[in-house]
Amino acid sequence: MTTTTAADFLPADRDIDSLRSAAASCQGCGLYRHATQTVFGDGPDDAKLLVVGEQPGDKEDTAGEPFVGPAGSLLGRALTEAGIDRREAYVTNAVKHFKFVLPERGKRRIHQKPSRTEVVACRPWLVAEVSTLRPDLVLCLGATAAQAVLGTSFRITRQRGQLLEWDSDEAGEIADPPAVLATTHPASVLRARDEDRKRAYADLVDDLRVAAQALTG
Ligand code: URA
Ligand code: SF4
């Protein structure tokens, strides 16, 4: 038996609108069952920067757009500080449905990390977004995004903030793959202990400056 993945739902015609509408009815893994909707990437077709997060959160699941919650606000602020206008970037996630557990009634749904199987099942959407948009740089936020793009041996702690080549084994069908840079996830800055938060934010902005330099350089 072959496993279902997002590849089974990819449209023949690949522009970003046809991808978005096909992804709306994806059942490539089990996550579509409990989430409100597919949260596909968003941003201009000619974006030079493609930003990849982990998966939509509670707010994104309701809104149907990526990074519209607290992590998104922090991301926008950090990008601006690094000299990048978020509105010029295409922003998406490694996994396009919200995975959560339901706490007691009335409480906000709690985010759960997607499994490797779910990341792999959803990856065809990300590959299709990159192949269609052909950005100059892919910026990965956090380990899930970085490993979705670069493979499971990638370690954020060792390789964050470095401009990397996307080697052909991992880039697969992406012809002439863009450069990749990984940094921490903005949500991890929000979760940091009070005394560590400033540093974590400054480190994020430093990495984003490397991205800004690569985009203009
Ligand atoms: N965190 C993510 O990784 N992606 C979002 O879209 C929102 C929060
Ligand atoms: Fe499809 Fe990805 Fe949603 Fe799974 S998470 S159903 S692969 S869009």
Side-chain angles (χ1 to χ4, degrees):
M1 198 185 91
T2 54
T3 324
T4 309
T5 75
D8 302 311
F9 298 87
L10 282 178
D13 165 31
R14 306 260 183 100
D15 59 36
I16 213 71
D17 292 334
S18 64
L19 289 171
R20 181 176 290 107
S21 77
S25 44
C26 183
Q27 301 185 356
C29 74
L31 293 183
Y32 74 92
R33 289 201 185 93
H34 304 291
T36 307
Q37 58 191 318
T38 305
V39 180
F40 205 66
D42 186 45
D45 286 7
D46 61 352
K48 303 234 174 312
L49 174 65
L50 186 145
V51 180
V52 188
E54 183 191 69
Q55 63 167 348
D58 181 76
K59 286 247 167 40
E60 290 78 16
D61 173 77
T62 309
E65 287 170 38
F67 281 104
V68 293
S73 310
L74 189 132
L75 172 66
R77 193 153 59 83
L79 284 169
T80 304
E81 217 165 303
I84 299 171
D85 184 346
R86 175 182 166 165
R87 290 167 303 183
E88 291 177 8
Y90 180 89
V91 178
T92 192
N93 283 298
V95 170
K96 286 163 170 66
H97 276 106
F98 179 36
K99 183 177 181 180
F100 59 93
V101 283
L102 264 183
E104 309 140 48
R105 271 163 59 104
K107 292 259 173 65
R108 211 157 58 92
R109 299 170 295 175
I110 299 170
H111 157 277
Q112 272 196 307
K113 193 173 145 64
S115 69
R116 180 68 191 164
T117 310
E118 288 152 353
V119 171
V120 169
C122 207
R123 192 172 187 273
W125 293 122
L126 180 60
V127 169
E129 287 171 300
V130 175
S131 304
T132 304
L133 296 166
R134 303 182 54 74
D136 292 341
L137 180 67
V138 172
L139 171 68
C140 300
L141 303 174
T144 300
Q147 294 188 353
V149 169
L150 296 165
T152 48
S153 57
F154 184 84
R155 293 288 172 271
I156 288 274
T157 43
R158 270 209 309 271
Q159 289 163 291
R160 65 175 294 178
Q162 296 175 22
L163 263 189
L164 304 166
E165 286 192 21
W166 196 340
D167 81 63
S168 52
D169 280 359
E170 292 297 338
E173 69 177 79
I174 303 169
D176 195 12
V180 182
L181 187 136
T183 185
T184 46
H185 195 290
S188 75
V189 177
L190 294 172
R191 281 196 309 266
R193 290 181 306 181
D194 284 352
E195 61 270 33
D196 297 334
R197 196 166 306 120
K198 257 203 171 129
R199 174 88 255 162
Y201 179 75
D203 288 347
L204 171 63
V205 173
D206 278 351
D207 291 349
L208 297 180
R209 288 206 172 98
V210 179
Q213 184 67 40
L215 289 166
T216 55

